Amino acid sequence: MSDTTPNQTTDERIKAEPLISRLMKRPELGAIAGVILVAIFFVITADSAMFTASGIINFLTPAAQLGILAIGAALLMIGGEFDLSIGSMVAFAGLFFGVCVMVWGLPLIVAIPITFAFAGFVGAINGFIVIRSGLPSFIVTLAFLFILRGLSLVGLKWASGGSTQLRGVRDATENDWLAPVFSGDAFPGFFAWLAERGLVETFSNGTPKVTGIPVEILWFVVLALVATYVLLRTPAGNWIFAAGGDTTAASNSGVPVKRIKISLFMVTACCAALVAIITVIDAGSTDARRGFQKEFEAIIAAVIGGCLLTGGYGSAIGAFFGSIIFGMVVIGLTYTNFDQDWFQVFLGGMLLIAVLFNNAIRKRVTGER
Amino acid sequence: MTDDSKFHHGAVDDKVAPIVQMQDIQKHFGNIIALAGVSFDIRPGECHCLLGDNGAGKSTFIKTMSGVHQPTHGKILFEGKPMSFATPRDSMEAGIATVFQDLAMIPLMSVARNFFMGREPTKGRGLFKRFDVEMANDITMTEMRKMGINLRGPDQAVGTLSGGERQTVAIARAVYFGAKVLILDEPTSALGVRQTSNVLATIDKVRKQGVGVVFISHNVRHALAVGDRFTVLNRGKTLGTAKRGEITPEELQDLMAGGQELAQLEGSLGGTV
Ligand SMILES: Nc1ncnc2c1ncn2[C@@H]1O[C@H](COP(=O)(O)OP(=O)(O)OP(=O)(O)O)[C@@H](O)[C@H]1O
Ligand SMILES: [Mg+2]
């Protein structure tokens, strides 16, 4: 009755696993393969202008705006919940931000933090109701999809005196020292310098065709990296996977499931607020249709990125590539001879393929039982 | 009873203060009375077996001890002080580790991530405080090897493990974290001969280190092999607590069956139940 065990380190019951099959188990694999396939498709069918520096920035900008939402949605989905109200949250946070700047005349250094705090608060309400009632987050946030959209309309009419648009944000923020962090292009000097050396394409007057990298792309990349780090390398990441995998098991193992889920709802709402701030400053106005149907696009990007609808599995990098696929398809079609309306067909098709693919991957990972 | 002599049995000193004392615990779920006043205690260095029929309330009882349920009535004393565990995390931090009957594992997560779920080792400081994946992997492999299971790798998903392998991960995890009390809810139900004897030997080992073990089992032989005291639950109440040596295996078996006769069965099964 000894508990000595053979000290073997190799096991004759394991076949050497080829690299391909190891990669197959990564959740983001599908999205990366998708990016490559979609890129090949457009290299063949689209005007060559699509893959010049300005063409790439052209499709990365909408990809980034969606991607910021998709990364939040992916984290929440991995944590086992949905938020259908993020699109409306973009409009609502945009309204709040617009009111801060236009009605209350606050500088950005005040307006931006309180917009985030406000969005976080609304996210927490969402989360709190879901946790407390035990209802599916799908239905609770569906209610908030309408509530927030309606409140945005009502609020806009109040703030603008009857219209559903609040203009003049650009003038109000133009000279704010914080504006460059949330709007316009980053590194203009660097691009001008490249243009002088003839390293990037220029217009005939010598200004570069690409004057810098739009800030939303930088936010998008940074967010994807931070989210991936948190998921894979911090205890909080482990708790998110656990909470989404099995709420009871996670809670019985000491994971603070409620705290994690409410925090994730807050993070998602703050991602919506970030998109709202960036796009409102950029457009110079806010309106009630802002973020319309973005919740579906964000969830689709997350699913293309390998998130399981049942939670507990997925990746932020996957959502990153899922959003890039999105941007490439939306903008790419304008570079081709195809009818723009193929976009929706493409979208639905991608979603279907992604779900089937994810299902197969999950079976591989769990050994299907 | 050949298992009887296998393990050393520390004579539990009645004067040693219990680590956890559960006094007259009641638990109601709506109109269902799962526990109708159960008292129980666990001293350091003993193995206290909790026995009883299906639905007797054993799992419900240990869940009040590990913070999953809050008792409807009754008091929990931890090291002499009244304590109410609001969450499983609270009881864990007090040094109580539990193997739940359903194991509390996430199939989609790797063995190492499951092993440290809720108690991840970290390295670095401040913003750079991060999950020490290498350490988690090493410890998981070592602890599993100690239990007689050679894992294919620490990154294998728990969903791909066999039922017994999964149970062993849960036990190894609880043994690793159970600083003061180790609660095992039917830990050997899916285990092979070698793994079962490893678990029983592990119970004996941690008991010698002064940990109090609560052991739930339907197997009289396993219970008698390691138990110092035996408490039998029936329909939410205690039928009594017996010390080792005060009760015969046959009496214990009858009590576990809720006092109902097993005689006619025993004949055909040759007393091997
Ligand atoms: N959450 C709950 N809601 C309602 N009733 C419950 C709940 N949990 C347990 N019960 C009831 O309490 C009783 C005791 O259940 P418990 O799981 O504690 O039994 P057990 O002794 O562990 O049985 P087994 O040997 O089958 O594991 C059962 O009748 C069960 O139906
Ligand atoms: Mg039970």
Side-chain angles (χ1 to χ4, degrees):
Chain A
M1 203 65 46
S2 71
D3 58 345
T4 55
T5 46
N7 244 345
Q8 64 196 59
T9 39
T10 54
D11 188 334
E12 75 287 354
R13 288 174 67 191
I14 309 171
K15 284 191 287 181
E17 196 175 29
L19 181 67
I20 287 287
S21 129
R22 273 206 310 263
L23 283 180
M24 280 288 285
K25 288 186 179 168
R26 300 291 321 151
E28 53 273 347
L29 174 90
I32 295 174
V35 167
I36 295 170
L37 287 180
V38 172
I40 291 174
F41 173 80
F42 282 112
V43 165
I44 296 169
T45 59
D47 189 302
S48 62
M50 180 170 168
F51 290 99
T52 60
S54 57
I56 290 173
I57 290 214
N58 244 347
F59 71 72
L60 278 186
T61 307
Q65 289 176 5
L66 174 66
I68 293 170
L69 296 177
I71 289 166
L75 290 179
L76 187 61
M77 271 176 86
I78 297 171
E81 304 291 341
F82 272 108
D83 190 348
L84 291 181
S85 70
I86 39 180
S88 304
M89 189 67 220
V90 173
F92 197 48
L95 160 72
F96 187 85
F97 177 67
V99 169
C100 284
V101 172
M102 299 300 301
V103 180
W104 298 332
L106 297 174
L108 290 185
I109 186 71
V110 182
I112 288 172
I114 67 171
T115 303
F116 278 121
F118 177 75
F121 176 72
V122 177
I125 293 177
N126 252 329
F128 192 76
I129 294 174
V130 169
I131 297 290
R132 244 13 227 312
S133 66
L135 287 168
S137 48
F138 173 83
I139 204 75
V140 172
T141 57
L142 182 63
F144 272 90
L145 180 155
F146 291 104
I147 294 172
L148 296 182
R149 184 68 67 189
L151 283 178
S152 306
L153 270 166
V154 175
L156 275 168
K157 285 189 199 151
W158 163 80
S160 64
S163 129
T164 57
Q165 207 181 27
L166 193 60
R167 292 171 198 276
V169 179
R170 165 110 24 91
D171 299 332
T173 56
E174 214 164 28
N175 298 317
D176 199 295
W177 60 271
L178 202 54
V181 181
F182 291 93
S183 71
D185 295 339
F187 316 127
F190 177 66
F191 278 80
W193 180 83
L194 286 178
E196 266 170 47
R197 306 283 126 108
L199 294 171
V200 288
E201 279 183 289
T202 54
F203 292 109
S204 47
N205 66 1
T207 56
K209 280 189 178 169
V210 176
T211 53
I213 299 176
V215 285
E216 49 261 66
I217 295 179
L218 297 182
W219 278 103
F220 174 46
V221 172
V222 168
L223 213 61
L225 293 176
V226 171
T228 303
Y229 174 77
V230 169
L231 275 179
L232 298 182
R233 282 290 177 271
T234 67
N238 212 29
W239 297 354
I240 294 173
F241 281 111
D246 184 336
T247 312
T248 318
S251 154
N252 284 357
S253 305
V255 174
V257 172
K258 293 177 185 172
R259 192 146 53 89
I260 282 291
K261 289 199 171 181
I262 291 181
S263 311
L264 286 174
F265 273 105
M266 294 172 73
V267 167
T268 313
C270 285
C271 287
L274 178 60
V275 171
I277 292 168
I278 290 173
T279 55
V280 167
I281 298 182
D282 228 30
S285 68
T286 185
D287 61 84
R289 273 186 69 82
R290 200 159 284 284
F292 185 65
Q293 287 199 345
K294 286 291 178 217
E295 56 281 338
F296 294 111
E297 295 180 4
I299 289 171
I300 292 170
V303 170
I304 291 175
C307 290
L308 286 184
L309 294 158
T310 42
Y313 191 74
S315 94
I317 287 292
F320 176 87
F321 287 113
S323 310
I324 291 180
I325 292 180
F326 227 97
M328 261 207 259
V329 175
V330 181
I331 304 298
L333 285 173
T334 62
Y335 287 94
T336 66
N337 298 325
F338 295 111
D339 189 320
Q340 272 289 290
D341 291 328
W342 278 104
F343 166 64
Q344 305 231 9
V345 179
F346 216 99
L347 191 63
M350 287 294 299
L351 178 63
L352 195 58
I353 293 169
V355 174
L356 292 173
F357 188 80
N358 290 349
N359 204 29
I361 293 274
R362 196 202 55 217
K363 285 182 186 168
R364 275 191 80 99
V365 171
T366 59
E368 185 63 346
R369 35 183 86 226
Chain B
M1 265 321 115
T2 47
D3 297 274
D4 228 17
S5 52
K6 232 166 258 161
F7 299 107
H8 158 84
H9 295 285
V12 212
D13 192 342
D14 286 348
K15 277 169 262 80
V16 177
I19 313 175
V20 183
Q21 253 176 304
M22 313 278 289
Q23 294 174 347
D24 195 30
I25 299 294
Q26 295 194 22
K27 180 68 193 173
H28 304 178
F29 296 104
N31 62 344
I32 300 168
I33 302 171
L35 296 173
V38 177
S39 298
F40 182 90
D41 60 19
I42 175 79
R43 301 200 183 93
E46 75 163 343
C47 172
H48 194 158
C49 294
L50 190 57
L51 309 165
D53 231 355
N54 292 126
K58 306 179 295 295
S59 299
T60 310
F61 184 70
I62 60 106
K63 280 181 181 167
T64 59
M65 205 187 295
S66 55
V68 176
H69 296 317
Q70 282 67 49
T72 314
H73 289 292
K75 245 199 329 205
I76 305 178
L77 301 181
F78 185 81
E79 293 179 332
K81 288 186 284 285
M83 183 76 109
S84 73
F85 298 125
T87 63
R89 201 176 176 78
D90 294 346
S91 84
M92 263 167 208
E93 272 162 14
I96 301 177
T98 311
V99 176
F100 293 98
Q101 197 166 10
D102 63 8
L103 304 183
M105 300 264 219
I106 316 278
L108 282 164
M109 276 164 60
S110 74
V111 175
R113 279 179 177 268
N114 266 287
F115 196 99
F116 286 96
M117 174 168 43
R119 287 161 290 198
E120 293 78 3
T122 53
K123 59 182 176 189
R125 274 195 216 149
L127 258 184
F128 295 98
K129 193 165 146 183
R130 58 199 187 275
F131 183 14
D132 192 342
V133 179
E134 291 76 32
M135 185 172 146
N137 288 348
D138 287 349
I139 294 175
T140 306
M141 291 304 273
T142 320
E143 295 300 314
M144 289 302 291
R145 221 170 287 131
K146 278 192 206 161
M147 302 292 296
I149 300 247
N150 247 328
L151 282 184
R152 325 231 157 141
D155 55 353
Q156 190 178 358
V158 161
T160 63
L161 296 179
S162 81
E165 284 172 329
R166 249 188 259 194
Q167 216 165 37
T168 314
V169 178
I171 296 168
R173 170 173 77 174
V175 168
Y176 185 77
F177 288 105
K180 288 180 182 157
V181 178
L182 178 60
I183 302 172
L184 303 161
D185 192 350
E186 292 188 41
T188 53
S189 62
L191 295 192
V193 181
R194 191 162 62 91
Q195 283 76 12
T196 301
S197 81
N198 268 334
V199 169
L200 298 182
T202 307
I203 292 177
D204 190 47
K205 192 180 78 193
V206 299
R207 170 173 62 187
K208 281 186 188 135
Q209 293 162 358
V211 174
V213 181
V214 180
F215 181 45
I216 298 180
S217 179
H218 285 295
N219 189 317
V220 185
R221 275 157 40 89
H222 294 171
L224 281 166
V226 289
D228 298 309
R229 283 195 290 165
F230 307 91
T231 294
V232 182
L233 285 191
N234 184 36
R235 301 178 62 78
K237 291 197 181 113
T238 28
L239 290 182
T241 301
K243 274 197 205 151
R244 153 172 221 83
E246 287 176 2
I247 191 165
T248 67
E250 289 72 29
E251 284 170 336
L252 198 56
Q253 189 146 311
D254 281 350
L255 278 177
M256 283 168 70
Q260 280 150 34
E261 284 295 309
L262 278 183
Q264 67 268 48
L265 278 176
E266 249 169 57
S268 60
L269 293 173
T272 53
V273 188

